[in-house]
Amino acid sequence: MQRMMENRDLNLEYSHQQLGFDLGHSNDFDLGNTVVHELQSFSLQQNHHDVNNNRNNQIVLDLGQNLYPEHCGSVDDEQDHSLGWGDDNELGIVVVSDNGNDFQQNSELVVYENQEMGLEAAATNDDMVQQHQLLLTSPVVQSRELAPNPNYELALGHEFSDVKSCRRAVRDAAIALHFEIQTVKSDKTRFTAKCASEGCPWRVHAAKLPGVPTFTIRTINEGHTCGGITHLGHHQASVQWIANTVEQRLRENPECKPKDILEEIHRAHGITLSYKQAWRGKERVMAAVRGSFGEEYRLLPKYCDQIKQTNPGSIASVYGNPLDSCFQRLFVSFQASIFGFVNSCRPLLGLDRTLLKSKYLGTLLFATGFDGDGALFPLAFGVVDEESDDNWMWFLSELHNLLEANTENMPMLTFLSDRHKGIVDGVEANFPTAFHGFCMRYLSDCFRKEFNNTILVNLLWEASWALTVFEFDAKIMEIEKIAQDAARWIREIPPRLWATAHFQGSRSAQLTANIVESLNSWITEASGLPVIQMMECIRRKLMTWFNERRETSMQWTTILVPSSERRVAEALERACSYQALRANEAEFQVISHEGTNIVNIRSRCCSCNGWQHYGLPCAHAVAALLSCGQNVHRFTESCFTVTTYRKAYSQTLHPVPDKTLWKESSENGDPAAEVLIKPPKSLRPPGRPRKKRALTEDHGRVKRVVRCSRCNQTGHFRSTCAAPM
């Protein structure tokens, strides 16, 4: 015994000399920040079962809370601050207590009894310092450790309802206690698993006895010699385990991102998983919560039938690929929207699209009108497997058939879009008399990306708003003074497609058709749902809009809608200072401080172009009308009146029954029930989908060439020029 103690003191002294400094032997010494950081860099390699088995020379050191300086930060409650070191063939464990007691009161080192040698002693503070020096000279093992949860420990006699529950319990125990298992046998009557590490004796066997409905652990060897897993992942952390782990959180917060799931699992279980695993786990939970994405494609024929039954006059049709019956296209337009657009809205349609964020790839197409107050008035929706020229041609063909069936004469429509090639060809083929212009939001985004100058972008918008050719040219000249390249870029795009002064269609001062941006967050949320739930989200939103706007309009007491009433009031105020000279019963000359304008009240036009473009009398027209005693409100477009506005929302979008009730209505010989639609073949890959379309190059313009001002060569800037000085 005495020789053993001498050898132990020699080892500690040698470690002390290697360390190169003396920590001292006083009871009031301070380890300092250096020791703290060294302590934090160590980790526990020995697993939970080695602790329970009281391995030889195990040492417990209670250092107290004062060991950690404030700048080191707090430590999770779930973590134990366990530190391990190697000493030839033995592993020790140091546990840092967080009880907040003074360091000096807890600095006593306790050496447990060594069963082989019979050693039983209590070390002094000096011995503790030497042991700590030995700790600092030992190799460092990376940590992935969390405190093992005793709730997951398996014991002899544990019972389970079936083999699945037994497998699940063993898997959870392996994840919680940081070791991996390998299944030896698994059938309906028995389950055997062992530790996946080579040579480790841990093993569990459960079986179902005859006449007993439960599974019972019959034998278990709890001893581990492997030390647990050394990597940060876990073989048993499957997608289903991830789904079970985060199911409750996703039910409470469906917007939880895969990144948040990864952080929560790492914090709770000490496991590092891939983004794809977390994404698939979330998809599995959301499929259970919202329903299967694939099953909803199969229910589309019945859903279309329900729309037509609950909302007579609506159009709802689904198309599959004739070769394999996979989903290809869906077109929906509700009767209330058709009636409101045909009878009350301006002859103006915006075309836009948004990418779906659901499990299957796809695109949602929009055709949206604008009511008398300038708000969006969705007319038709199309869901296609991908955005292509053929799908845009099909969508616009369906739109043409819809309008042709509900109007005696096809109106002179104006379309606004980003003029994607498929949209341009579709409009020309199905609406040859319509005018197709640019959405200014899209055009300004292209311009901003090309030149990245806020002043130039603002001047571009002012040029688009200019009512006369003179004002338009003046704005272009301002742009040219700042950047000739920008002016050249603008001139390459025909102004008749975007500038109000040159615009040949009738858009009533509506410059943009960025529908997705206007619909804001709710359409983005809907695009991530299964296809039927997405269409139901859209229908519910439309139903709410129609009801709210109908009730709001009932409170209006004016002749015109609020926005038009304000514009006319401003024109009346300005017209008070104008002088109107009458040439005949229809023609007037209006003199103002701005100049002279000619007004014709019969053709409803003014030389300032304001009456023609806005559909409301400008200040010059108001002065002319007042001079001859006419009612100004009688000379506004009918779509701006409150009566017409109420008519636009007079129809009701009726609810669609829950899909659990569809079977009864579809079993009465309905041919729609016999149509088979399979999910699309393409699946959405993990990750964030692209939200913006790549800028089209069909505007007839040449991309700006970058030229170096130093060497006069193209393809690079002066800052990146590699030519010799």
Side-chain angles (χ1 to χ4, degrees), residues 334-524:
F334 296 98
Q335 186 274 338
S337 297
I338 298 173
F339 178 87
F341 178 79
V342 170
N343 294 281
S344 306
C345 291
R346 317 175 217 178
L348 174 67
L349 279 174
L351 302 175
D352 201 357
R353 64 90 181 92
T354 184
L355 299 178
L356 300 183
K357 300 189 297 182
S358 61
K359 179 179 180 180
Y360 297 95
L361 296 173
T363 306
L364 179 62
L365 310 180
F366 302 92
T368 303
F370 303 88
D371 63 22
D373 206 29
L376 292 177
F377 192 92
L379 174 60
F381 303 91
V383 181
V384 294
D385 53 355
E386 62 177 354
E387 184 184 17
S388 63
D389 296 349
D390 291 340
N391 282 332
W392 271 117
M393 183 69 71
W394 161 82
F395 180 74
L396 290 165
S397 175
E398 292 285 330
L399 190 62
H400 176 271
N401 296 337
L402 179 154
L403 295 174
E404 192 175 45
N406 289 275
T407 56
E408 297 180 359
N409 299 313
M410 182 67 68
M412 293 291 294
L413 293 173
T414 298
F415 288 92
L416 296 178
S417 73
D418 59 6
R419 287 184 63 85
H420 183 269
K421 185 179 183 302
I423 303 177
V424 173
D425 295 341
V427 170
E428 291 179 354
N430 295 282
F431 301 93
T433 60
F435 187 80
H436 189 187
F438 269 114
C439 166
M440 268 305 299
R441 177 70 65 182
Y442 169 78
L443 199 63
S444 67
D445 287 344
C446 296
F447 186 75
R448 186 189 301 275
K449 184 173 182 179
E450 191 76 15
F451 299 100
N452 193 25
N453 188 314
T454 304
I455 298 177
L456 293 177
V457 173
N458 292 337
L459 288 174
L460 177 67
W461 276 97
E462 292 176 8
S464 68
W465 282 108
L467 294 176
T468 63
V469 176
F470 177 79
E471 294 175 356
F472 173 80
D473 292 340
K475 294 299 178 183
I476 299 299
M477 290 299 295
E478 289 186 42
I479 295 175
E480 189 171 18
K481 290 179 181 179
I482 299 174
Q484 293 184 357
D485 290 346
R488 190 181 305 113
W489 187 94
I490 295 173
R491 288 193 176 101
E492 289 175 352
I493 304 174
R496 62 183 179 83
L497 299 178
W498 61 277
T500 301
H502 294 274
F503 201 80
Q504 298 179 358
S506 175
R507 58 180 181 179
S508 301
Q510 187 68 43
L511 298 183
T512 63
N514 201 322
I515 302 167
V516 176
E517 186 174 301
S518 301
L519 295 180
N520 211 347
S521 60
W522 73 269
I523 196 65
T524 304

Side-chain angles (χ1 to χ4, degrees), residues 117-138:
M117 301 181 181
L119 177 63
E120 183 175 2
T124 64
N125 289 338
D126 296 344
D127 293 333
M128 181 193 71
V129 174
Q130 292 175 339
Q131 289 287 354
H132 183 68
Q133 294 170 348
L134 179 62
L135 168 65
L136 297 181
T137 59
S138 303

